[in-house]
Structures are given as structure tokens and as C-alpha cells.
């Protein structure tokens, strides 16, 4: 399943908040937590959460707390691995952390799944070292 960059950002944010909440006594992720984390209005978050629920990525409990579904967890894990491979590449090219994150999100949401897998498989530590060496020669 391909997600827009907005939906992807929400899913990854909810996954991170869920992991953080597991370390606390109260393991709840609420709409307001997501709004604060993303720096957007609660109303905007509620609208997106409704869409994510309809797609079967998250569920809302009776106490209004949010939980990622097993399908949502699987998707989030796949995207997180790719995201964590891509961000450092963009930062090494001189982009700020924010811009690197935005570029990674854009690629994750726009590239076909197989192309994305191929790109990420090229980003092994050995291939990455060769890539950085190539870019450093170009800039010299």
C-alpha cells in the first residue's frame, strides 16, 4: 500500500508515540499528542485520523486513545527502515535535518515500491561509503 507523504508522516509519528508511551505507566496516544508532535491543529489531526482508520492503519479505542493495527505496524516498520536509510544520505549531501526528512518522506511516498526497495538495498554501509566517496570527489 502506498501512502501520501502526509499519511506517512502521521503513521510514523503515531508509531513513535506508541513506542514512547510503552515506556510510561499510561500507554495512550491521543489526538492532542499527535497535534503537538507535528505542530498542527487538533482539528487537522482528527480529520487525518479518520482517514487512517478507514484504511485500517489505526484504531480508536473507546477511551479515544489510538492504536496502530497489525497491518499499520507492518507498514510503519517497512517505511521506518527505509526512512532511516534515506535521511542520513540527504544530510550527508548538506541538507538540514528538516530538509533531509522532507526529502526522505517525498521519496517514500512517490517512488514505486520496487524502485524504493532497490534504492534502499544500494544503501548498505559498503555501497554508502562508495557513494560518499564519489560525491566528495565531485565537490572537490
Amino acid at each position: 500500500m502506498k501512502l501520501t507523504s502526509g499519511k506517512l508522516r502521521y503513521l510514523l509519528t503515531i508509531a513513535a508515540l506508541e513506542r514512547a508511551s510503552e515506556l510510561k505507566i499510561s500507554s495512550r496516544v491521543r489526538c492532542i499528542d499527535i497535534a503537538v508532535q507535528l505542530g498542527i491543529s487538533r482539528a487537522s489531526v482528527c480529520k487525518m485520523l479518520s482517514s487512517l482508520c478507514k484504511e485500517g492503519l489505526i484504531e480508536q479505542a473507546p477511551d479515544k486513545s489510538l492504536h496502530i493495527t497489525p497491518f499499520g505496524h507492518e507498514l510503519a516498520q517497512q517505511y521506518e527502515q527505509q526512512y532511516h536509510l534515506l535521511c542520513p544520505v540527504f544530510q550527508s549531501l548538506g541538507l538540514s535535518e528538516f530538509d533531509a526528512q522532507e526529502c526522505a518522506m517525498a521519496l517514500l511516498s512517490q517512488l514505486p515500491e520496487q524502485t524504493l526497495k532497490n534504492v534502499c538495498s544500494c544503501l548498505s554501509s559498503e555501497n554508502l561509503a562508495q557513494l560518499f566517496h564519489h560525491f566528495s570527489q565531485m565537490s572537490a
Side-chain angles (χ1 to χ4, degrees):
M1 170 183 230
K2 207 63 174 162
L3 298 177
T4 65
S5 60
K7 288 180 181 178
L8 179 56
R9 184 172 285 106
Y10 275 82
L11 185 63
L12 296 183
T13 298
I14 295 166
L17 288 170
E18 233 181 39
R19 279 192 303 277
S21 72
E22 289 172 359
L23 302 174
K24 299 176 185 175
I25 295 171
S26 171
S27 59
R28 294 176 35 159
V29 175
R30 303 167 302 151
C31 181
I32 190 68
D33 300 324
I34 299 162
V36 168
Q37 184 70 30
L38 294 175
I40 55 179
S41 73
R42 190 173 176 275
S44 295
V45 172
C46 290
K47 188 174 181 179
M48 179 63 84
L49 294 179
S50 175
S51 178
L52 293 173
C53 282
K54 287 177 187 173
E55 293 183 33
L57 298 171
I58 64 169
E59 299 172 328
Q60 191 168 27
D63 69 353
K64 302 293 184 192
S65 64
L66 302 160
H67 305 280
I68 297 180
T69 64
F71 174 63
H73 273 294
E74 184 180 315
L75 206 54
Q77 184 178 12
Q78 172 192 332
Y79 277 116
E80 281 177 331
Q81 289 171 349
Q82 295 168 336
Y83 178 79
H84 290 298
L85 280 172
L86 292 169
C87 278
V89 172
F90 290 117
Q91 285 182 299
S92 71
L93 296 174
L95 296 178
S96 68
E97 183 178 353
F98 177 81
D99 287 341
Q101 291 169 349
E102 291 299 305
C103 286
M105 286 288 181
L107 277 181
L108 290 171
S109 65
Q110 296 298 317
L111 288 180
E113 189 173 329
Q114 189 57 51
T115 303
L116 192 55
K117 286 179 182 178
N118 292 343
V119 167
C120 288
S121 71
C122 291
L123 297 178
S124 68
S125 57
E126 183 179 306
N127 290 339
L128 210 50
Q130 291 173 356
L131 181 66
F132 291 145
H133 177 71
H134 175 72
F135 281 123
S136 66
Q137 287 181 335
M138 288 176 54
S139 63

